[in-house]
């Protein structure tokens, strides 16, 4: 789907749409539609059978979208006037009856937020990702309905009034993805080293449901949609559902791939969303701020200190067991760390990259003879020094670190540690530690000093244009010898059914093209190399 605002952009947008449609659906037919500015996306779940019956099972509001993909969905649509809801439901059922529709379907509308005028958008002839919110407010199993209709039976309920009477409470669904909101929601791949879903029985009267097709240890690959799960919360009213959705998101634990969990929390707690009745422009208006909010939030020194303690314990445990850590920061730092256990009172300093990669701080860790640590974390104002007691406890569920901070704050932290050749990532999931500044989810990278990286001086100084995600090269738009300008398209990369244009990061001359059309590339692969040319050469 493309929005075209200028005539000169029409042909390029049409070409891209046709390519995506042909690859995704085997049909490059493109429909042109009127663009309604700042609409709500409201859809009705309908069912028809072979006996001429058709009903709707109320509406869903799916206005929180990015790149035309839904992020949060809820039922019923908040603040939708009763007469508008009734007219839309009647129109949805009329559309189904007009074509003799049989089975489950979704009739989608755009609703003008100013006038409440609604427009038919499309009909999806299937159950959709967000159908659980309808199941929650109706108490009906829509898959069972599908099977009964497919077997030639009548709809279990054929009277619209009876369905309307069943509607109860409010349900909200959040789509949990392996993706990085900070890089434009680029999909991510990797191994789900840790996966803990919210406990279903920990939210009082609210019902929490998780629909998923993956388990801990599975790989998220480039060949399929990167959705990890659908998290659905149903409660007596919208306010309670929103409250418990945020609690459920905060208790969700994923390590091994970046996720949108924190982003979903911020969306669900944004004042505009909480008020209800937002338009599909919600993320256009607030998305950048919602993404940056994580970077702007001060990183609590206590979280950095706990991450440092986790790294030291992990290294010491591996040393006691006679294990060689697979590269990572510890393998790079040198002999001083290996002698650290016996060097009581010795202080070592290493770099920790804070949440979201916003900044790197040099953290000092000092061992004491009683097995505790004094950890100093610098800040813009003054350094914070904290006393940390920490022990690992390993169970079938994973590794938990029992922490006592400054001899007064006692809490548990679930820990997951990942090693690469140049850094070690620490994932912290704290329990009952809000008085320390620790939130439920922190990710830190412990990086070795740059001087210890082998071959660091051999890195090419030429601008390297890299793949922003794993994918397939659809088009190569340049060849060796071409002179390019800043932001000029170089390569079109296809990933997760979407095309991504890779552009030049500055002016230069193409010195190398590493891949041909149709080839598969890994995340970070060098696609094009540029030689920097001065302005005179470029002008010539």
């Amino acid at each position: 789907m493309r929005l075209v605002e200028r005539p000169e952009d029409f042909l390029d947008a049409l070409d891209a749409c046709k390519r995506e449609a042909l690859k995704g659906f085997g049909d490059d037919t493109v429909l042109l539609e009127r663009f309604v500015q700042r609409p709500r996306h409201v859809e009705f779940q309908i069912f028809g059978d072979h006996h001429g019956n058709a009903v709707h099972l109320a509406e869903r509001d799916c206005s929180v979208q990015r790149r035309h993909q839904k992020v949060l969905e809820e039922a019923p649509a908040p603040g939708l006037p009763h007469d508008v809801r009734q007219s839309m439901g009647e129109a949805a059922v009329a559309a189904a009856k007009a074509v003799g529709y049989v089975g489950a379907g979704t009739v989608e509308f755009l609703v003008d937020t100013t006038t409440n005028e609604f427009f038919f958008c499309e009909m999806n002839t299937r159950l959709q990702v967000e159908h659980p919110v309808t199941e929650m407010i109706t108490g009906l199993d829509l898959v069972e309905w599908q099977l009964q209709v497919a077997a030639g039976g009548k709809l279990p309920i054929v009277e619209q009034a009876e369905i309307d009477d069943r509607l109860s409470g409010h349900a909200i669904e959040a789509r949990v993805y392996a993706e990085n909101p900070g890089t434009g929601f680029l999909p991510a791949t990797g191994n789900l080293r840790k996966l803990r879903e919210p406990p279903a029985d920990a939210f009082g009267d609210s019902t929490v449901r998780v629909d998923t097709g993956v388990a801990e240890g599975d790989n998220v690959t480039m060949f399929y949609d990167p959705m990890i799960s659908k998290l659905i919360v149903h409660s007596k009213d919208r306010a309670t559902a929103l409250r418990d959705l945020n609690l459920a998101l905060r208790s969700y634990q994923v390590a091994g791939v970046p996720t949108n969990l924190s982003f979903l929390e911020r969306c669900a707690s944004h004042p505009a969303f909480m008020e209800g009745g937002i338009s599909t422009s919600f993320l256009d208006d607030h998305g950048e701020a919602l993404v940056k909010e994580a970077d702007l939030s001060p990183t609590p020194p206590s979280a950095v200190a706990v991450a440092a303690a986790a790294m030291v314990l992990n290294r010491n445990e591996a040393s006691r067991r006679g294990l060689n850590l697979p590269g990572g920061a510890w393998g790079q730092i040198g002999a001083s760390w290996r002698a650290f256990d016996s060097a009581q009172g010795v202080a070592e300093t290493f770099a920790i990259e804070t949440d979201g990669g916003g900044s790197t701080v040099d953290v000092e860790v000092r061992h004491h003879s009683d097995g505790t640590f004094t950890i100093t974390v610098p800040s813009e104002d003054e350094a914070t020094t904290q006393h940390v007691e920490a022990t690992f406890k390993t169970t079938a569920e994973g590794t938990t670190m029992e922490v006592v901070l400054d001899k007064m704050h006692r809490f548990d932290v679930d820990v997951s540690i990942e090693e690469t050749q140049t850094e070690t990532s620490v994932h912290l999931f704290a329990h009952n530690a809000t008085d320390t500044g620790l939130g439920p989810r922190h990710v830190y990278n412990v990086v070795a000093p740059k001087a210890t990286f082998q071959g660091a001086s051999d890195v090419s100084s030429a601008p390297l244009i890299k793949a922003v995600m794993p994918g397939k090269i659809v088009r190569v738009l340049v060849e060796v010898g071409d002179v390019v300008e800043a932001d000029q398209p170089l390569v079109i990369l296809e990933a997760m059914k979407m095309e991504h244009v890779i552009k030049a990061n500055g002016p230069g001359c193409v010195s190398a093209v590493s891949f041909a059309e149709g080839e598969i590339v890994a995340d970070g692969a060098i696609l094009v190399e540029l030689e920097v040319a001065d302005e005179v050469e470029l002008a010539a």
Side-chain angles (χ1 to χ4, degrees):
M1 186 180 295
R2 295 286 193 280
L3 169 63
V4 181
E5 298 181 284
R6 303 184 308 168
E8 56 266 34
D9 295 335
F10 177 77
L11 291 179
D12 287 342
L14 177 63
D15 188 38
C17 277
K18 290 172 72 70
R19 285 197 305 271
E20 289 181 3
L22 188 61
K23 290 184 177 70
F25 308 104
D27 184 352
D28 67 353
T29 302
V30 175
L31 302 178
L32 301 183
E33 299 177 315
R34 168 182 169 180
F35 177 62
V36 182
Q37 291 191 345
R38 307 182 71 83
R40 295 177 70 175
H41 179 122
V42 179
E43 61 188 34
F44 276 73
Q45 178 71 60
I46 63 97
F47 262 91
D49 63 23
H50 294 281
H51 306 278
N53 300 303
V55 294
H56 73 76
L57 280 66
E59 82 280 5
R60 301 183 287 256
D61 191 311
C62 309
S63 297
V64 182
Q65 302 179 7
R66 53 163 182 74
R67 297 200 301 265
H68 307 292
Q69 291 192 345
K70 300 160 188 174
V71 177
L72 295 170
E73 304 104 341
E74 57 184 315
L80 191 68
H82 175 73
D83 60 331
V84 176
R85 175 181 286 112
Q86 185 170 355
S87 296
M88 293 177 71
E90 292 172 354
V93 172
K97 288 184 174 180
V99 295
Y101 188 76
V102 174
T106 303
V107 180
E108 303 190 359
F109 298 97
L110 297 179
V111 181
D112 190 305
T113 51
T114 302
T115 65
N116 281 324
E117 185 182 9
F118 61 90
F119 304 88
F120 173 79
C121 180
E122 64 179 0
M123 181 177 182
N124 279 294
T125 55
R126 54 179 171 82
L127 281 185
Q128 293 194 260
V129 172
E130 61 272 19
H131 80 271
V133 294
T134 299
E135 292 187 326
M136 301 302 271
I137 67 167
T138 61
L140 300 172
D141 185 333
L142 303 193
V143 176
E144 182 182 4
W145 276 43
Q146 276 193 309
L147 295 175
Q148 289 193 30
V149 170
K154 287 186 176 182
L155 294 175
I157 303 174
V158 297
E159 296 296 332
Q160 187 64 53
E162 185 177 347
I163 294 175
D164 294 343
D165 289 342
R166 295 183 63 93
L167 302 182
S168 174
H170 199 92
I172 307 176
E173 175 182 287
R175 301 190 184 192
V176 180
Y177 276 96
E179 64 182 10
N180 192 338
T183 59
F185 298 95
L186 293 178
T189 59
N191 182 263
L192 293 169
R193 293 173 54 89
K194 186 179 185 68
L195 183 61
R196 295 288 183 275
E197 297 171 354
D201 57 352
F203 300 94
D205 294 333
S206 292
T207 301
V208 174
R209 166 178 166 179
V210 179
D211 289 5
T212 185
V214 297
E216 187 169 282
D218 286 349
N219 290 318
V220 179
T221 73
M222 60 174 283
F223 302 107
Y224 300 97
D225 188 276
M227 183 186 290
I228 294 173
S229 71
K230 302 180 293 185
L231 174 63
I232 308 102
V233 175
H234 176 241
S235 195
K236 59 183 180 181
D237 53 44
R238 187 171 187 265
T240 308
L242 276 173
R243 181 200 67 192
D244 291 343
L245 174 66
N246 274 290
L247 291 174
L249 287 167
R250 289 170 66 84
S251 65
Y252 213 129
Q253 299 182 11
V254 181
V257 294
T259 72
N260 65 338
L261 283 166
S262 295
F263 176 78
L264 290 171
E265 285 182 54
R266 293 190 291 274
C267 285
S269 59
H270 191 280
F273 181 76
M274 294 180 70
E275 182 179 345
I278 62 167
S279 76
T280 55
S281 300
F282 173 74
L283 288 185
D284 291 333
D285 297 338
H286 306 290
E288 185 176 355
L290 289 167
V291 170
K292 287 184 176 180
E293 189 175 323
D295 298 332
L296 296 175
S297 300
T299 300
S302 55
V304 181
V306 171
M311 281 304 310
V312 173
L313 286 180
N314 183 62
R315 192 268 313 167
N316 289 350
E317 180 66 20
S319 177
R320 279 190 289 272
R321 295 167 59 192
L323 301 177
N324 291 320
L325 294 176
W330 301 114
Q332 300 281 344
I333 286 176
S336 60
W337 275 111
R338 290 190 289 274
F340 196 66
D341 268 337
S342 58
Q344 304 295 350
V346 171
E348 293 288 342
T349 301
F350 56 95
I352 290 186
E353 186 180 80
T354 59
D355 273 322
S359 61
T360 300
V361 295
D362 292 326
V363 179
E364 181 188 90
V365 180
R366 185 178 296 274
H367 245 200
H368 299 297
S369 58
D370 61 357
T372 63
F373 313 106
T374 299
I375 301 176
T376 301
V377 181
S379 66
E380 293 183 0
D381 300 324
E382 59 181 352
T384 300
T385 299
Q386 295 184 294
H387 183 270
V388 180
E389 300 174 44
T391 55
F392 272 168
K393 180 175 65 177
T394 302
T395 68
E397 296 296 316
T399 299
T400 298
M401 187 167 66
E402 298 176 339
V403 179
V404 179
L405 198 63
D406 291 333
K407 300 183 179 181
M408 58 186 296
H409 303 290
R410 184 182 298 273
F411 54 92
D412 291 341
V413 180
D414 291 337
V415 179
S416 179
I417 297 176
E418 304 169 56
E419 298 276 352
T420 70
Q421 291 302 312
T422 58
E423 67 181 28
T424 302
S425 294
V426 183
H427 296 252
L428 305 177
F429 307 94
H431 304 281
N432 302 316
T434 53
D435 57 342
T436 69
L438 258 78
R441 187 183 305 108
H442 293 278
V443 181
Y444 297 99
N445 292 324
V446 182
V447 297
K450 291 183 180 179
T452 66
F453 291 165
Q454 296 180 357
S457 61
D458 299 329
V459 177
S460 172
S461 60
L464 304 176
I465 311 303
K466 299 181 179 181
V468 294
M469 69 185 79
K472 183 172 74 173
I473 302 297
V474 176
R475 293 183 63 191
V476 178
L477 305 174
V478 294
E479 56 186 36
V480 173
D482 286 353
V483 174
V484 299
E485 302 289 344
D487 293 326
Q488 179 174 332
L490 306 177
V491 173
I492 297 178
L493 181 69
E494 181 188 87
M496 309 296 181
K497 301 184 292 185
M498 297 288 292
E499 290 189 357
H500 305 269
V501 179
I502 310 301
K503 299 180 180 180
N505 53 15
C509 180
V510 177
S511 60
V513 177
S514 305
F515 296 92
E517 293 180 3
E519 289 191 272
I520 303 296
V521 299
D523 183 16
I526 298 172
L527 305 179
V528 177
E529 294 185 39
L530 300 180
E531 290 181 352
V532 177
D534 59 38
E535 294 182 1
V536 175
E537 291 174 329
L538 286 174

